[in-house]
Each structure stands twice: as C-alpha cells, then as structure tokens.
Amino acid sequence: LICRMEEEIETPRDPKPCGPLEEYRIPDYVLRPDAQQVLVDHAPQCPVLVFINSKSGGQLGSSLIKTYRELLNEAQVIDLSEEAPDKVLQRLYVNVERLKMEGDILAVQIWRTMRLIVAGGDGTASWLLGVVSDLKLSHPPPIATVPLGTGNNLPFSFGWGKKNPSTDQEAVKLFLGLVKHAKEIKIDSWHLILRMRAPKEGPCEPIAPLELPHSLHAFHRVSSGDSHDVEGYHTFRGGFWNYFSMGMDAEISYAFHTERKRNPDKFKNQLTNQGQYAKLGLKQGWFCASLSHPSSRNIPHFAKVKVMKKPGGHWEELQIHHSIRSIVCVNLPSFSGGLNPWGDPGARRINTEFTLPYVDDGLIEVVGFRDAWHGLVLLAPNGHGHRLAQAHRIRFEFHKGVVDHTFMRVDGEPWKQPLPKDDDTIVIEISHQGQVTMLANEPCKSMSLSDPLSSHGHNDHSDEHKNDVDDEEWEDGRRKFGAAETFKLPDEIDIAHLS
C-alpha cells in the first residue's frame, strides 16, 4: 500500500492537448543577448519560462529539469540553485527592450504572451512571486506552480494538485497543455513589516533553520535610506501570498526544516516527509498541549492582536481566548497540505459577521487553534478553526512575557523569533499590497470576485473592499517587497516601455 501511495500521481480530470512543442519554445536570441538572431515563421502561442528548484522533491527537481530541457530550449529552463530569478528576468527584459527598439515584433509578442512555470515548494513559488511583484509591470506574466514540495498549498489552491508529479516526457507535455489552456486569476499580495528595538545584548535577528529559507530572501533588514527605517530599531520587510502563522504549527515546521537540513538523506520523497512532519508534531506534544506546554506559551500571554477591517478604518483589538496556541492569517484556501482553516461560513447575509474567503477581495482571514487535536477538525466536512476576523490590515504587538521566543512562518518557511526581554515592544504589521496573477486549472479551489463562474456567487459588498484604496498604503516604500533587491536596470532602459 505504501509503495502504491508513493507512486500515485494526480491526473487532471480534463486533460488538454499539448500540441506542437514549438508553441512553447522561446528562441535563444530572445533569452540571451549573445545568441545569434534567427528567423521564425510565427510567434509561439504559449511561450513559457520555467524555473525549477533542483533541491526540491528529493531527486525529482533534477529529473524535471532534464525533461524540460529535452523538450524545450535549454536556456528557457532555469535551475534556481544556480541562478536567481531576478537575474534571469533582468537579462530577459533588457534584451527584449533592445530587440523592440530594433523593430523585432516577434520578441514583443513573446513578451506579451509569456507564462511562467515554477516547480518547487511553497517557499520557492513565493520567491518568484516576490520578484515578479517588484517589477510593477502593467501586465506581469501569469504564473503556474508545479507541486514539488511537502505541503504544496499554492499549487493545490489553483488546481495543480498537491502530490509530486511524474517527470517523464508525457507527463510534462500534459502539464504544458494545461498551462496553455489555464485561466488567469488575480490574488491579493500581503506586505509584512517587523520592527524591534536594537537590544543592548543578545540576538534580535529572525533566526532561520540553519540557513535562509526562500521566502526570507524577501524578508530582510531595510536599508538606512528606506522610508521605514527608524533610528534605534531593526526593521525587516517581506511579502507573502498564502499565509503568515505563529505558534504551534510554525514550531513544528521549524523543527522539520532544521532536521531536513541536518539529515537530507532522510527526506527523499513527499510521503516520507509528511510522515516525519507528523512524527515531530507528536514528539513535541502538541496533541496534549495542555499537559506538555505551559499556558505561558499561549499567544494571549505575550501578544496583542489588532485589526483594521477596511481601508481607512480604525484599529480594533481582538479578544483572543487564553487557550489559543496558534494564529494563522490565511489568504488562500489551503494550509498545511490542503486544509482550509477558515472553512465556508455560508452565503453572505445582512447580519452575518464573516464572508466567503475570496482570494482577491483585499481581506485576509485570521484563525486561531488551541492544539493539534483542534487542527484535526479541518479534516471533517465544513470543519474550521476558531474564526477571529477578516481584515485589511493586522498588527501584532509582542511584549515581555515568560517565554523569550516564539516561532513564525510565511508560505511554508519558518523562523525563530526572539521576543522582548524588557519593556520594549516588537511589532509586526501585515497590510494589503496589490495583486499578482496566477494560472488556475480545474478544479480550482480558490474563489475570485472577478470570476463569474465562482460556485459560491459574489459578495454583495465586494466593491467596498476592492476599490477603496488607502493612499498611505501606496507609498513607494510599501510597494516594494524587496525580493528583487539585485534587480537593477541600466539608466538608458525605461521599464515602462516594456509594459
């Protein structure tokens, strides 16, 4: 049975024909400025640029790179362990602008219709999303995600499955066909600011599990010239698309990532990884948290949570039950391997406090959990955590308590966060940050306000959240995620022309 589970591959319900591979290939001269220009009869219908994390999925990442390079041009398949996505996109966009100035219509058509494919864990996908967001293009390329990690929440949310894929040529061709016919769907982006006073002694940096996770490439200390820099404080910024969480679940994730870094040979496939994950949850005692973990570690004992429910509104402090050990701020309907913490509160009524969780409504859902048994409620039909709020902005204020640290994670990538040792306060603020475009396959679990085929209908008050913009949130400083810090265009290139 275990062998059959390891070999099981999710197959789409409605396979789409791949068609000729020429419809996906990008000529070398468009990708590399040093390549010789060639004449092409017509522009490819669905040009793709493929980013693969060769370290993801055991040996699957490397195998997937080999297959894609056999089917497409080698230059359009990038190994993220060798080259960062911002450098690749910088080279491509500058070259396209040069070709455009030379009158190359083909290059412009490829640029306008290009789709991105990213294969890796949720952290890898978030890394690429951060880079694309930083470009601020009028029509950024939409992104399809290949489930090559352990949780695979991003791919699962948009109909790409959550099991690691097969890597043979027929499977890759099938996936390319799905990408060509996939629909575009916009999702909200969320900006995160963390500020803490510089301590007199001891560490204050967010502590990663042995090395910096992909999502934390975007989560870094701001420069002295940044508008968010405050003298005497350390300020960090980042972005996420699926969730931010802290407490119980993040601690298990931190232990998992640390153990995987130390003993990579024990984490060769998705099924084994999930087993190790569950084992760590049991070992840490989260199924009997009331006995194995003191109540001083519960979130209300060291943090206050405030929310702003709509743009330009006022801050409201949430009353968090004293037993809550984990808080999740979730944007997509998939968390911890496909579970939906928010659930379905039903169709909106006039007096209903909560609405359906749309991925493009400018709201993020805030959910609390008491222990691992509480989390298992999500496995039941219509199961959900303790719904706390739907908000446009969230503010966490951490004060001195019995514990000196907690655990946090964004989009699957955890870190250990030191807490104040004196009367100072550490602040984390999450705010709505525009949108990015994803590619969705059927069946798509994410609901969009802009999709007329959404199975649950529309929120009658959606325009209130979608069009009401707080000017303060669109300052240049807050519009940058920081993931593409190395992205620098030459002075003579105007990025606006590319849009």
Side-chain angles (χ1 to χ4, degrees):
L1 176 62
I2 292 177
C3 291
R4 287 182 60 188
M5 292 177 67
E6 288 180 338
E7 294 172 359
E8 182 180 358
I9 301 297
E10 289 182 338
T11 56
R13 296 181 184 177
D14 185 21
K16 304 292 184 181
C18 171
L21 290 173
E22 288 74 15
E23 299 296 335
Y24 306 91
R25 290 179 180 145
I26 300 176
D28 281 349
Y29 83 92
V30 176
L31 297 163
R32 304 199 326 262
D34 58 341
Q36 183 177 359
Q37 190 164 352
V38 296
L39 294 177
V40 181
D41 293 338
H42 64 279
Q45 183 181 350
C46 181
V48 295
L49 194 60
V50 186
F51 296 89
I52 300 175
N53 185 352
S54 60
K55 297 181 180 179
S56 294
Q59 302 299 321
L60 289 180
S62 298
S63 179
L64 205 57
I65 288 176
K66 180 176 181 294
T67 304
Y68 268 100
R69 286 178 173 171
E70 290 171 352
L71 298 175
L72 305 174
N73 286 337
E74 184 173 338
Q76 70 186 102
V77 182
I78 294 92
D79 184 347
L80 287 171
S81 67
E82 298 177 355
E83 192 168 19
D86 49 318
K87 294 183 180 298
V88 175
L89 293 174
Q90 175 189 17
R91 182 173 63 244
L92 171 62
Y93 296 160
V94 171
N95 195 43
V96 168
E97 177 67 6
R98 177 184 64 82
L99 293 170
K100 177 182 176 181
M101 295 173 66
E102 295 174 359
D104 192 319
I105 303 301
L106 177 71
V108 176
Q109 289 178 323
I110 289 175
W111 155 246
R112 289 176 177 170
T113 58
M114 185 176 66
R115 297 187 160 195
L116 304 184
I117 296 174
V118 57
D122 288 331
T124 302
S126 295
W127 186 15
L128 182 62
L129 284 169
V131 171
V132 173
S133 295
D134 279 349
L135 299 181
K136 303 184 184 71
L137 303 169
S138 62
H139 182 68
I143 301 169
T145 52
V146 179
L148 209 59
T150 301
N152 299 318
N153 294 294
L154 275 164
F156 186 63
S157 296
F158 298 100
W160 301 110
K162 58 183 177 180
K163 292 184 178 140
N164 292 165
S166 177
T167 61
D168 61 88
Q169 290 195 4
E170 290 306 312
V172 170
K173 288 178 182 178
L174 178 62
F175 187 83
L176 288 173
L178 293 172
V179 169
K180 182 168 68 173
H181 294 91
K183 66 179 180 180
E184 295 185 11
I185 179 173
K186 291 187 178 298
I187 66 168
D188 294 323
S189 302
W190 297 90
H191 187 248
L192 186 149
I193 283 284
L194 184 152
R195 181 174 287 122
M196 63 188 81
R197 185 180 293 278
K200 296 178 181 178
E201 59 182 24
C204 72
E205 305 276 348
I207 304 170
L210 301 185
E211 67 179 52
L212 196 64
H214 285 298
S215 64
L216 298 191
H217 282 273
F219 188 64
H220 67 100
R221 188 194 304 270
V222 302
S223 62
S224 57
D226 192 287
S227 61
H228 288 87
D229 181 53
V230 177
E231 186 175 355
Y233 287 82
H234 294 300
T235 304
F236 300 81
R237 70 190 317 157
F240 67 94
W241 291 264
N242 191 1
Y243 66 86
F244 164 84
S245 69
M246 66 174 178
M248 169 181 64
D249 66 289
E251 182 171 354
I252 298 172
S253 178
Y254 186 90
F256 172 83
H257 279 72
T258 301
E259 183 65 21
R260 185 167 63 176
K261 297 293 185 184
R262 288 173 176 162
N263 302 291
D265 292 341
K266 294 182 180 179
F267 300 82
K268 285 298 186 182
N269 61 66
Q270 187 181 26
L271 187 63
T272 301
N273 293 355
Q274 291 171 343
Q276 291 285 351
Y277 207 99
K279 188 184 299 183
L280 287 169
L282 290 169
K283 184 178 180 181
Q284 291 186 2
W286 286 112
F287 282 94
C288 51
S290 60
L291 299 176
S292 58
H293 294 275
S295 61
S296 59
R297 297 181 63 181
N298 296 3
I299 289 174
H301 289 274
F302 59 84
K304 292 182 179 179
V305 185
K306 300 178 180 180
V307 297
M308 184 182 293
K309 294 185 177 179
K310 63 180 182 178
H314 61 279
W315 290 104
E316 304 175 27
E317 183 173 345
L318 292 180
Q319 299 303 313
I320 309 296
H321 193 272
H322 63 84
S323 65
I324 295 297
R325 292 181 171 87
S326 181
I327 287 183
V328 183
C329 304
V330 64
N331 185 45
L332 303 179
S334 181
F335 170 78
S336 286
L339 303 176
N340 186 354
W342 187 254
D344 184 350
R348 184 183 178 93
R349 302 180 183 90
I350 294 177
N351 295 323
T352 299
E353 181 180 2
F354 299 127
T355 72
L356 293 170
Y358 294 99
V359 298
D360 56 350
D361 59 359
L363 298 175
I364 194 167
E365 284 68 42
V366 188
V367 190
F369 292 94
R370 295 186 299 274
D371 52 30
W373 289 113
H374 191 191
L376 291 181
V377 171
L378 302 182
L379 297 174
N382 300 321
H384 59 84
H386 180 56
R387 298 180 182 124
L388 298 173
Q390 286 176 301
H392 186 71
R393 294 171 73 171
I394 307 168
R395 182 181 177 93
F396 296 92
E397 297 177 356
F398 301 92
H399 50 78
K400 181 181 178 180
V402 175
V403 296
D404 60 1
H405 68 271
T406 188
F407 294 87
M408 304 178 181
R409 64 173 174 165
V410 289
D411 287 354
E413 303 288 354
W415 74 93
K416 182 179 179 180
Q417 178 60 52
L419 295 177
K421 296 182 178 180
D422 45 35
D423 294 333
D424 289 328
T425 300
I426 291 176
V427 175
I428 288 182
E429 186 172 322
I430 297 169
S431 56
H432 185 250
Q433 177 65 33
Q435 295 179 328
V436 293
T437 305
M438 302 295 293
L439 288 172
N441 180 41
E442 295 297 339
C444 177
K445 294 196 171 290
S446 297
M447 293 187 296
S448 169
L449 288 170
S450 59
D451 184 4
L453 300 179
S454 177
S455 59
H456 294 275
H458 294 313
N459 181 337
D460 294 334
H461 301 280
S462 61
D463 290 339
E464 172 187 347
H465 299 296
K466 195 166 184 178
N467 299 324
D468 189 6
V469 179
D470 184 358
D471 290 338
E472 177 190 355
E473 294 189 67
W474 293 98
E475 296 174 357
D476 287 341
R478 299 190 68 159
R479 292 177 60 189
K480 181 159 182 65
F481 281 88
E485 190 64 24
T486 58
F487 189 94
K488 304 294 183 186
L489 285 174
D491 295 336
E492 65 272 13
I493 298 297
D494 185 359
I495 192 72
H497 291 168
L498 294 173
S499 300

